[in-house]
Amino acid sequence: MSIGRNDLCPCGSGKKYKRCCINTAVTETYPEKVQLVILIKEAGDYGVPEAGEEFFTKNPLPEEGFSAHRLLYSCLLRPELEFLAGNLAKSLFIRGKTEKDKITLTNDAAGLIAILKQNPDPLNHRLLADKLLDLREVAVPMLIDELRQVQNDCFVEQAIRIIYRSGIDCSSTLLKLIASSAIDAYALSLICMLCGMTGSQEALKPLWDRFHFFKEKYPKENFYQGPWLGLYELTHYSTRKEIA
């Protein structure tokens, strides 16, 4: 994943990236994120969806590397792995106590979402998500509404996690969101993935169009992986549910 200007510097200094290694050789490995806002009129119409096995064979995900999309997708399907990793991290690191106390004392959805927008310590992600899930009926609509605005990557990823874990059927609202007038490209990509994971067949055409749009307009980026994973889920949803 790219490192934002206000993220903690990957060198481990504890300073923000913009006040530490942004002007050093580290920028070659961790380039500053380029914000891309997609207008709905740009998406276009790419014909009738043909998302059968032939499509996935001709358009495979790259074998090398592991994108943020695929990591998040794996965590959504196997939350127990993320839970174990989180517990291990907490046993190895002691930090974020002040933030943890603030989360513990905050009991309203708006206040918890405000903390989530401030790029909280990863060690506190689970606690924050659990508290928002306790308020899911109020929190989920608020999170979806926040995704209409440009947010940092951490917020987008955690919002997707919470919405999925909530079990609330948001498919129609999410489809309206990806058809909104303007939306951040990374958020759009992950929302497409989430739409596919809801199993709503109404998502097939929008995901098909956005997959081809990203492949055509941004061939060097991995935004297309969100719609790809969404299409994969739509075509394999019933089988996965039966296995589960």
Side-chain angles (χ1 to χ4, degrees):
M1 289 179 59
S2 59
I3 303 299
R5 289 173 57 83
N6 291 308
D7 292 344
L8 291 178
C9 188
C11 75
S13 67
K15 299 180 181 179
K16 288 186 176 181
Y17 183 46
K18 66 183 180 182
R19 300 191 184 283
C20 193
C21 295
I22 193 169
N23 293 318
T24 69
V26 177
T27 57
E28 296 179 6
T29 305
Y30 300 95
E32 184 177 1
K33 177 186 175 184
V34 176
Q35 195 72 56
L36 295 171
V37 175
I38 306 299
L39 302 178
I40 186 58
K41 64 181 180 180
E42 297 180 82
D45 186 336
Y46 290 87
V48 178
E50 297 180 3
E53 291 304 322
E54 183 178 356
F55 165 77
F56 296 107
T57 300
K58 290 183 177 180
N59 299 279
L61 294 182
E63 295 183 2
E64 69 280 1
F66 199 61
S67 69
H69 299 76
R70 296 166 76 176
L71 177 59
L72 179 56
Y73 175 71
S74 298
C75 289
L76 293 179
L77 293 183
R78 299 292 301 276
E80 67 277 9
L81 298 180
E82 189 174 24
F83 179 75
L84 292 173
N87 285 343
L88 176 61
K90 288 179 181 179
S91 69
L92 297 175
F93 302 102
I94 302 175
R95 64 173 193 246
K97 185 180 184 304
T98 300
E99 183 181 75
K100 178 182 178 180
D101 293 341
K102 182 178 180 181
I103 295 170
T104 302
L105 294 172
T106 303
N107 295 308
D108 63 289
L112 292 167
I113 289 174
I115 296 173
L116 184 58
K117 293 174 71 174
Q118 296 170 5
N119 207 5
D121 191 302
L123 293 182
N124 292 324
H125 284 179
R126 186 80 184 191
L127 172 63
L128 186 52
D130 287 344
K131 294 210 65 173
L132 282 165
L133 283 167
D134 288 340
L135 303 167
R136 68 190 68 197
E137 296 296 336
V138 176
V140 167
M142 293 177 68
L143 287 170
I144 294 175
D145 192 57
E146 288 288 348
L147 288 173
R148 299 178 187 277
Q149 312 299 321
V150 175
Q151 306 286 353
N152 62 63
D153 289 356
C154 171
F155 179 89
V156 174
E157 292 161 2
Q158 294 307 310
I160 294 295
R161 281 179 164 90
I162 295 167
I163 294 169
Y164 181 76
R165 287 179 58 197
S166 74
I168 297 175
D169 183 3
C170 309
S171 54
S172 60
T173 306
L174 293 172
L175 286 173
K176 290 178 182 178
L177 183 55
I178 65 174
S180 59
S181 59
I183 189 168
D184 171 61
Y186 185 58
L188 173 59
S189 178
L190 291 187
I191 294 168
C192 284
M193 181 183 74
L194 183 58
C195 281
M197 298 185 77
T198 66
S200 173
Q201 292 301 310
E202 293 180 2
L204 184 60
K205 173 62 173 169
L207 268 56
W208 175 265
D209 288 340
R210 281 147 187 78
F211 167 81
H212 289 285
F213 166 74
F214 281 134
K215 286 286 284 187
E216 178 183 337
K217 301 296 184 181
Y218 302 99
K220 295 183 179 181
E221 303 288 346
N222 57 16
F223 297 133
Y224 73 91
Q225 292 189 18
W228 190 101
L229 290 166
L231 288 169
Y232 183 84
E233 278 294 302
L234 280 178
T235 56
H236 295 76
Y237 182 80
S238 58
T239 302
R240 183 168 63 80
K241 294 295 285 185
E242 289 173 3
I243 293 175

